[in-house]
Amino acid sequence: MTPRSDVALAEWCTMGVGGPARWFVEARTESDVCNALAWARARRAVVHVLGGGSNVVMADAGFDGLVIKVDLRGVASSPLGAREIYSAGAGEPWDPFVAVTVAGSCAGLECLSGIPGQVGGTPVQNVGAYGQDVSGCITRVHAVDRRTLQPTLFSNAACHFRYRTSAFKREGGGRYVITRVEYALERDAPPTIAYADIVNYFEQRGETSPSVGAAREATLDIRRRKGMVIEADNPANRSCGSFFVNPLVSREQYATLQANAGSAVAVPHYVVDECMVKIPAAWLIEGAGFTKGSKRGAVGISPFQAQAIVNHGGATAADVLSLAAAIKRAVLDAYAIAIVPEPVFVGFKPSAALQWLLDPDPHN
Ligand SMILES: Cc1cc2nc3c(=O)[nH]c(=O)nc-3n(C[C@H](O)[C@H](O)[C@H](O)COP(=O)(O)OP(=O)(O)OC[C@H]3O[C@@H](n4cnc5c(N)ncnc54)[C@H](O)[C@@H]3O)c2cc1C
């Protein structure tokens, strides 16, 4: 195993910013992962586990350690009663995998079509969209424990999935290298038609019982209109998707927000449970003055939706952070809601500015 040196990380992440990795290696097997971890340990080098790079911001200074690019492949499926268990290598590209499950007439992932990245990244932040989260169908996650270099198996409950987070992102952050993920999908079952955009899509077309294939196409169509599919000629390609997580607020905070907005404005929201309400970050960002398509040097807000920060070419990580901080400040001042970034920041030195950006409850 011989890692390469000084590999430009901007080319390995969708945001397209960041300096070089001191060392970089691609892992195609579980043994490769263990060898790479042992190699780093022998040199006391820090490790970053890289998937598709679609949810990371790399520091301009790069990463002074070993980047392990996960490239374990292979998809297998086997029936279990009315369900089909799909097992996919962590390095499988996500959307082609979803296409395979949909072609197999299996329901459970169709609304997650068009999301970039790899299979191994999906449990990390409990990837979700349009009414589905991977936590709804993941049965097992196979990983290597970086402390012991031993294989470890997580049940769904052990993953501690919550909204856009999991044990792999929270308490276990960085401790495990995910190698394989298993999803239990419903064979020949109807798709999830729950999210307003998808419901409206089919209502407008008069389709009352769409197939999972139709739901996949609807999702891709809706995502394209929001610039959320990475493909040729999309001016919003260089991004992390939604830069901020939709904030969860108490019912009282929501009532205050609505009262302040006045009766002419209906604050968009989604009731999560009897206590919490989710507010679209995009609505807050636009309301705080950051309109779609606005630019600030080499970065800007996506022309399609306010939640995405876009690198228009030649941007630095510092440009991205500066715009993100300005957005967070404006939303905090306008609505007293602290929005927090969704992507993972890699290689950054601890700083008060970064800590403030990540803080869900900043004091100023
Ligand atoms: C245009 C666009 C649209 C998007 N839309 C959505 C959306 O609708 N819903 C959504 O939830 N997300 C969305 N995202 C965010 C992103 O695509 C997902 O979070 C994706 O699952 C990240 O996977 P990745 O392989 O790119 O991970 P990376 O970006 O490489 O890594 C993200 C984090 O996961 C860790 N990680 C990755 N692979 C492994 C592994 N094998 N083992 C251990 N840790 C690992 C990394 O260390 C890092 O901490 C979008 C992004 C873009 C650019």
Side-chain angles (χ1 to χ4, degrees), residues 252-267:
E252 292 73 32
Q253 273 178 294
Y254 163 66
T256 308
L257 205 57
Q258 181 59 73
N260 291 343
S263 54
V265 177
V267 176

Side-chain angles (χ1 to χ4, degrees), residues 80-86 101 104-110 136-137 183-191 212:
L80 184 72
R83 300 192 300 175
E84 192 76 15
I85 310 297
Y86 279 88
T101 67
S105 273
C106 288
L109 301 178
E110 64 280 358
C137 58
Y183 307 83
L185 306 180
E186 304 291 329
R187 215 179 307 109
D188 298 322
V212 282

Side-chain angles (χ1 to χ4, degrees), residues 1-339:
M1 201 215 72
T2 316
R4 288 183 276 151
S5 302
D6 286 328
V7 172
L9 289 172
E11 291 166 21
W12 291 89
C13 61
T14 57
M15 192 84 221
V17 300
R22 183 161 180 199
W23 297 293
F24 185 99
V25 72
E26 283 159 81
R28 299 202 167 80
T29 63
E30 196 175 277
S31 304
D32 286 352
V33 171
C34 293
N35 290 340
L37 292 171
W39 187 95
R41 185 177 287 180
R43 285 158 186 78
R44 295 175 186 272
V46 286
V47 166
H48 175 70
V49 180
L50 180 67
S54 61
N55 214 17
V56 286
V57 180
M58 301 291 188
D60 290 322
F63 183 73
D64 189 14
L66 174 67
V67 169
I68 303 177
K69 161 74 184 166
V70 173
D71 200 18
L72 290 89
R73 306 299 284 264
V75 176
S77 70
S78 55
L80 184 72
R83 300 192 300 175
E84 192 76 15
I85 310 297
Y86 279 88
S87 171
E92 284 291 333
W94 175 250
D95 187 57
F97 168 63
V98 173
V100 166
T101 67
V102 168
S105 273
C106 288
L109 301 178
E110 64 280 358
C111 297
L112 306 180
S113 297
I115 296 177
Q118 301 183 167
V119 161
T122 61
V124 177
Q125 74 146 359
N126 184 16
V127 159
Y130 300 104
Q132 288 179 335
D133 288 331
V134 289
S135 59
C137 58
I138 285 181
T139 50
R140 300 202 296 184
V141 174
H142 301 248
V144 171
D145 187 337
R146 285 169 54 179
R147 290 188 197 161
T148 62
L149 304 193
Q150 292 300 312
T152 314
L153 196 56
F154 290 83
S155 65
N156 182 293
C159 294
H160 295 145
F161 288 123
R162 299 279 181 279
Y163 175 61
R164 291 301 160 274
T165 190
S166 72
F168 306 109
K169 190 163 177 174
R170 286 197 311 268
E171 61 266 33
R175 177 163 171 191
Y176 301 98
V177 182
I178 295 165
T179 51
R180 178 160 286 277
V181 185
E182 293 175 29
Y183 307 83
L185 306 180
E186 304 291 329
R187 215 179 307 109
D188 298 322
T192 301
I193 311 290
Y195 204 83
D197 286 355
I198 307 265
V199 172
N200 295 340
Y201 181 97
F202 286 115
E203 271 179 9
Q204 280 162 12
R205 287 160 181 77
E207 282 187 57
T208 49
S209 52
S211 63
V212 282
R216 170 173 164 79
E217 289 312 315
T219 305
L220 287 171
D221 196 43
I222 293 163
R223 292 187 71 95
R224 281 194 179 107
R225 280 187 261 136
K226 295 182 180 176
M228 292 295 263
V229 179
I230 297 182
E231 55 192 357
D233 300 330
N234 176 359
N237 265 348
R238 268 176 294 196
S239 84
C240 296
S242 301
F243 199 90
F244 291 97
V245 180
N246 293 324
L248 297 176
V249 302
S250 67
R251 283 194 178 240
E252 292 73 32
Q253 273 178 294
Y254 163 66
T256 308
L257 205 57
Q258 181 59 73
N260 291 343
S263 54
V265 177
V267 176
H269 66 284
Y270 173 80
V271 176
V272 176
D273 55 33
E274 61 277 10
C275 302
M276 305 306 284
V277 176
K278 196 193 306 176
I279 309 291
W283 186 82
L284 298 168
I285 292 167
E286 283 209 89
F290 289 86
T291 49
K292 290 178 204 150
S294 57
K295 289 189 179 169
R296 185 176 161 140
V299 288
I301 308 289
S302 163
F304 305 102
Q305 59 123 348
Q307 223 168 329
I309 292 180
V310 175
N311 170 4
H312 289 295
T316 62
D319 295 333
V320 174
L321 253 63
S322 162
L323 177 57
I327 293 171
K328 177 165 176 149
R329 165 57 61 202
V331 169
L332 197 55
D333 289 347
Y335 301 106
I337 293 176
I339 51 175

